[in-house]
């Protein structure tokens, strides 16, 4: 017997040693480390206007968000607007942090924006934050699988006006642009609640989709109005059965997406003749679009308003993105089992 540092008697024999080693190994198996998500670019919407994007892999670390079309107070010919809400107690942000407040105007007021008119921002040239960190167009290391994250709060529902489109109303996120005549893009939509099994007054849908016309190649989740939602989404290029779109809503479990499509079977006109989701590195060298505007026939009978913050794009899943749930640990690696003495 020996006396430990706290006056506890400890028997130093091989059985105790084996027990302690087994306990350490069990802890390693039960409580592995949480993986950090790889992030290439982020827009947290905390700064004063113009909002800044942080490029995490390039030598040039920042760039401003550029308005695609000038915003303004809703009026004839003006169909979108946004503003900054600063961090502060009771400001309506998640954890009292700042956010962007976005408005798509009532069609009765704007009489515009319903012919695929653009809005929102272009965010950085992709080659400025590509994973290889070259900062040069055409010298890139884009993977086949991409991840995005954002926090969204729906203030008012989408109320579709007479003659307005019933689905895919706003192209919220667009990338892999200017290649294949646009037929191989990835697009995230905001659309009215009826398209995800809910009512229009209480919910809005977020849909991740392969291009604009491939309605079957999509994953959709319902966003209740009046609360912050913590979204992650992912897409993968490749042949049908390999390619996918996935969305996680308030969900930290990478292996259990809230919605997914693992069988993308659409056959676009470019390059044509194949259901493979083809990737061109040059498409990711282009800027990505956020809050990008309407489809043909997008008309609302009241202003549609939502808040957003903490946009990220990167190469891996974040197992702690949803703060209300437990983080999902990654599997332990390089474990060494010690033989008994």
């Amino acid at each position: 017997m020996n006396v430990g540092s706290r006056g506890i008697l400890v028997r130093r024999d091989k059985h105790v040693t084996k027990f302690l080693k087994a306990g350490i190994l069990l802890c390693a198996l039960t409580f592995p480390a949480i993986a950090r998500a790889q992030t290439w670019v982020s827009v947290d919407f905390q700064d004063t206007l113009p909002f800044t994007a942080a490029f995490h892999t390039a030598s040039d670390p920042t760039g401003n968000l550029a308005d695609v079309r000038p915003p303004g107070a809703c009026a004839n010919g003006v169909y979108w607007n946004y503003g900054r809400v600063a961090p502060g107690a009771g400001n309506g942000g998640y954890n009292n942090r700042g956010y962007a407040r976005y408005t798509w105007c009532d069609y009765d007021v704007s009489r515009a924006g319903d012919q695929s008119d653009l809005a929102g921002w272009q965010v950085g040239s992709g080659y400025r934050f590509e994973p290889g960190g070259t900062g040069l167009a055409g010298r890139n290391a884009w993977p086949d699988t991409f991840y995005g994250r954002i926090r969204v709060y729906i203030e008012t529902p989408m109320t579709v006006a007479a003659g307005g489109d019933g689905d895919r109303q706003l192209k919220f996120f667009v990338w892999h642009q200017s290649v294949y005549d646009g037929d191989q893009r990835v697009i995230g939509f905001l659309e009215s609640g009826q398209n995800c099994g809910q009512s229009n007054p209480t919910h809005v849908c977020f849909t991740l989709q392969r291009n604009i016309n491939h309605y079957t190649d999509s994953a959709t989740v319902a966003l209740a109005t009046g609360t912050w939602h913590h979204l992650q989404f992912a897409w993968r290029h490749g042949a049908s059965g390999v390619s996918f779109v996935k969305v996680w809503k308030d969900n930290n479990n990478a292996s259990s997406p809230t919605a997914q499509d693992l069988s993308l079977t659409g056959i676009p006109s470019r390059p044509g003749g194949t259901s493979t989701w083809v990737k061109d590195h040059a498409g990711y060298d282009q800027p990505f679009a956020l809050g990008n505007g309407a489809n043909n026939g997008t008309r609302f009978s009241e202003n549609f308003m939502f808040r957003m913050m903490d946009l990220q794009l990167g190469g891996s899943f974040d197992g702690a993105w949803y703060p209300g749930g437990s983080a999902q640990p990654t599997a332990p690696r390089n474990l060494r089992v010690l033989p008994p003495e």
Side-chain angles (χ1 to χ4, degrees), residues 43-127:
V43 184
D44 61 13
F45 295 105
Q46 302 305 297
D47 51 337
T48 57
L49 298 176
F51 291 121
T52 299
F55 304 147
H56 301 289
T57 59
S59 57
D60 183 5
T62 61
N64 291 335
L65 275 62
D67 295 345
V68 173
R69 180 183 176 93
C74 295
N76 188 271
V78 180
Y79 51 83
W80 85 291
N81 194 17
Y82 74 92
R84 172 191 181 248
V85 176
N91 72 337
Y94 167 67
N95 275 354
N96 295 323
R97 295 172 62 240
Y99 57 90
R101 191 168 187 248
Y102 187 108
T103 299
W104 192 272
C105 300
D106 181 343
Y107 183 75
D108 291 337
V109 174
S110 69
R111 290 294 170 180
D114 63 333
Q115 297 299 314
S116 293
D117 294 288
L118 297 181
W121 305 275
Q122 293 279 1
V123 187
S125 296
Y127 61 79

Side-chain angles (χ1 to χ4, degrees), residues 140-213:
N140 43 43
W142 295 111
D144 289 332
T145 306
F146 297 76
Y147 289 83
R149 292 174 282 279
I150 195 168
R151 309 189 200 279
V152 177
Y153 181 111
I154 306 298
E155 285 195 25
T156 59
M158 287 184 174
T159 54
V160 181
D165 246 353
D167 58 16
R168 305 301 198 269
Q169 286 97 342
L170 291 182
K171 293 173 283 186
F172 177 65
F173 170 80
V174 184
W175 205 13
H176 196 227
Q177 302 191 81
S178 302
V179 293
Y180 302 112
D181 199 29
D183 282 352
Q184 299 287 358
R185 292 172 295 176
V186 59
I187 302 181
F189 294 92
L190 292 177
E191 55 179 327
S192 49
Q194 65 184 8
N195 298 294
C196 46
Q198 303 293 332
S199 68
N200 289 351
T202 62
H203 289 78
V204 167
C205 312
F206 174 78
T207 296
L208 187 70
Q209 183 169 300
R210 177 188 179 185
N211 199 23
I212 197 167
N213 296 319

